[in-house]
Amino acid sequence: MKMPGAAARLLVGLRGRTMRSVATLLAGAAAGQLITLITVPLLTRIFSPEVFGEAGTLLAVASVVMPVAGLCLPLAIVLATDDDEARALGRLSLAISAVLAAVITLGMAFWAALADAPWGMSSGLLMFIPLLMCLATAVSVLEQWAHRRSCYTASAKVSVGKSLIGNGGKVLGGLMAPVSMTLVLITAVAEAVAAMLYLGWLRGSVTPDRTTPPRWWVLILKYRQFPLFRAPQVLVSCLSLAVPVLLLGVWYEPAIVGFFVLARSVVAAPSMLLGKAIGDVIYPRLARAAQEGVPLLPLQFKAVTLLGVVGLLPLIPILLVAPLIFGLLFGEAWQMAGEHARWMALWFYLTLVGVPCISSMPVLQIQRLHLTYTCFTAVIRVGLMYWACAIAQLDSSTSVALYCISGALLNAGLMVWILLLSAHRDRLMA
């Protein structure tokens, strides 16, 4: 079948504007990651594995609620009909996150009056969760507005600024107080700095409403797939990422949690930053392609192939010599983190390769199926982890390996499934 003229034009755009946009975001992400790689060896010599484990447990809990604090409505900003509707979605997202943060604050205050904080954390650490929720939603709203306006340079600058403030602050703060509170506090400060940087660079692009904005219930009805399906899917996905940290904290010593957190931060950060940069750019392109009736499969396949090749560069050395690398960079006490990193590398490699497919799910309007699949995979992965830790009582390395291998296989299955759905959609539109 001969590709329509619209598809040809879009592919030309992918080689031009899209690649420039990806390069811009990747430059910012790479600079931010470079700052992280420079500071992590310092942090592992300032903070003990136990401190990393305690802070990692709190941030694991926070990471479950932060992405869904606005019910994923910020993601609809790119799809909004006009700028007035996009601004209304941003305000609604911020209001929802503030209400949810207030409810969680009251709930934690009530819990603290009746019982001790879970997983050995202090009540003071837990109270950071509502603050992180609001800050994360603000950053997400501003980020999606930047992508709507194609201000990818602003996103790149924010990535660098956030990494510089976050990692530099942890080093300086750790020299004064090498405790878990320092790591959590600086994480919140970095989120606030990211929001302020976005406000500064996007100030000229945010204009007053030119028409009466839609009512909040109208917006929720129009974009109901995001709170009904995308938010639960993200919540379940984040739970499946956080539960291993919590299970390791219950069944093993805090140092094991520290090893897991360090390995995941080192291995996951490059793939997540690269994947986010690709996803942030290709999502609007896929949405426009669907509106123009352009086949999606060629665009997805091209991006998947590119990521598959690029992802092999860090994957191979991590699989071969990760314990040696971790011992040299972070100190001999952290060699066990390298064992965890070996298994995580395969998981995050397939996560990275599947980013173009995941980005196309809202465009294909299969978020309900995505939610079902995510629940299915979460049950399998968490069940395996629980069986390894609590029932079989395997060592921590084997437990982590089961969790990561299952994640890699399930990510591969999801990617193939979405490509098949895209091929079916393209055939129907041919």
Side-chain angles (χ1 to χ4, degrees), residues 291-379:
Q291 292 168 359
E292 296 179 1
V294 174
L296 298 181
L297 185 61
L299 310 180
Q300 293 169 316
F301 190 76
K302 181 179 180 180
V304 165
T305 303
L306 176 63
L307 289 174
V309 174
V310 172
L312 287 175
L313 298 178
L315 174 66
I316 293 174
I318 291 175
L319 288 176
L320 294 177
V321 291
L324 176 62
I325 294 173
F326 273 68
L328 292 174
L329 288 179
F330 310 124
E332 291 185 6
W334 294 91
Q335 276 194 340
M336 178 60 72
E339 292 290 343
H340 294 341
R342 276 178 164 167
W343 299 110
M344 290 182 186
L346 183 61
W347 166 31
F348 282 108
Y349 170 74
L350 287 169
T351 301
L352 171 65
V353 173
V355 164
C357 298
I358 299 297
S359 298
S360 66
M361 297 193 84
V363 179
L364 294 170
Q365 297 184 347
I366 54 173
Q367 298 191 80
R368 179 183 297 183
L369 294 176
H370 193 194
L371 170 59
T372 303
Y373 190 88
T374 302
C375 293
F376 169 72
T377 57
V379 169

Side-chain angles (χ1 to χ4, degrees), residues 35 39 43 161-175 186:
I35 295 170
T39 55
L43 295 175
K162 181 180 177 180
S163 181
L164 185 62
I165 295 297
N167 291 290
K170 289 174 185 176
V171 171
L172 294 176
L175 293 174
I186 299 302

Side-chain angles (χ1 to χ4, degrees), residues 70 86 98 102 118 123 140 150 220 237 257 269 316 329 359:
S123 299
S140 181
S150 297
I220 290 180
S237 180
V257 180
I316 293 174
L329 288 179
S359 298

Side-chain angles (χ1 to χ4, degrees), residues 168-379:
K170 289 174 185 176
V171 171
L172 294 176
L175 293 174
M176 295 183 287
V179 296
S180 56
M181 178 69 77
T182 300
L183 293 172
V184 176
L185 176 62
I186 299 302
T187 300
V189 170
E191 289 289 335
V193 168
M196 289 187 289
L197 289 175
Y198 266 124
L199 285 172
W201 278 310
L202 296 175
R203 185 173 58 250
S205 68
V206 181
T207 56
D209 292 337
R210 290 176 292 182
T211 60
T212 303
R215 300 289 186 178
W216 63 269
W217 59 83
V218 175
L219 292 174
I220 290 180
L221 283 175
K222 181 176 180 180
Y223 297 101
R224 60 187 177 275
Q225 285 210 8
F226 288 91
L228 287 179
F229 304 121
R230 187 61 178 265
Q233 180 272 318
V234 171
L235 179 63
V236 172
S237 180
C238 291
L239 272 172
S240 70
L241 292 174
V243 165
V245 175
L246 305 180
L247 287 177
L248 290 173
V250 171
W251 297 103
Y252 303 100
E253 60 189 30
I256 297 297
V257 180
F259 296 145
F260 184 88
V261 170
L262 176 66
R264 191 167 68 179
S265 65
V266 172
V267 175
S271 64
M272 292 179 70
L273 287 172
L274 176 58
K276 188 175 185 307
I278 296 291
D280 287 343
V281 173
I282 201 170
Y283 176 38
R285 307 297 187 200
L286 288 168
R288 189 168 71 248
Q291 292 168 359
E292 296 179 1
V294 174
L296 298 181
L297 185 61
L299 310 180
Q300 293 169 316
F301 190 76
K302 181 179 180 180
V304 165
T305 303
L306 176 63
L307 289 174
V309 174
V310 172
L312 287 175
L313 298 178
L315 174 66
I316 293 174
I318 291 175
L319 288 176
L320 294 177
V321 291
L324 176 62
I325 294 173
F326 273 68
L328 292 174
L329 288 179
F330 310 124
E332 291 185 6
W334 294 91
Q335 276 194 340
M336 178 60 72
E339 292 290 343
H340 294 341
R342 276 178 164 167
W343 299 110
M344 290 182 186
L346 183 61
W347 166 31
F348 282 108
Y349 170 74
L350 287 169
T351 301
L352 171 65
V353 173
V355 164
C357 298
I358 299 297
S359 298
S360 66
M361 297 193 84
V363 179
L364 294 170
Q365 297 184 347
I366 54 173
Q367 298 191 80
R368 179 183 297 183
L369 294 176
H370 193 194
L371 170 59
T372 303
Y373 190 88
T374 302
C375 293
F376 169 72
T377 57
V379 169

Side-chain angles (χ1 to χ4, degrees), residues 2-26:
K2 186 177 180 180
M3 188 172 294
R9 290 196 302 272
L10 194 63
L11 284 175
V12 171
L14 278 172
R15 291 192 292 269
R17 294 188 306 274
T18 301
M19 295 310 297
R20 287 195 296 272
S21 300
V22 170
T24 299
L25 288 178
L26 284 182

Side-chain angles (χ1 to χ4, degrees), residues 386-410:
Y386 179 79
W387 174 82
C389 295
I391 300 175
Q393 296 184 351
L394 303 176
D395 62 89
S396 61
S397 294
T398 306
S399 300
V400 171
L402 283 173
Y403 177 78
C404 295
I405 292 172
S406 62
L409 294 175
L410 291 166

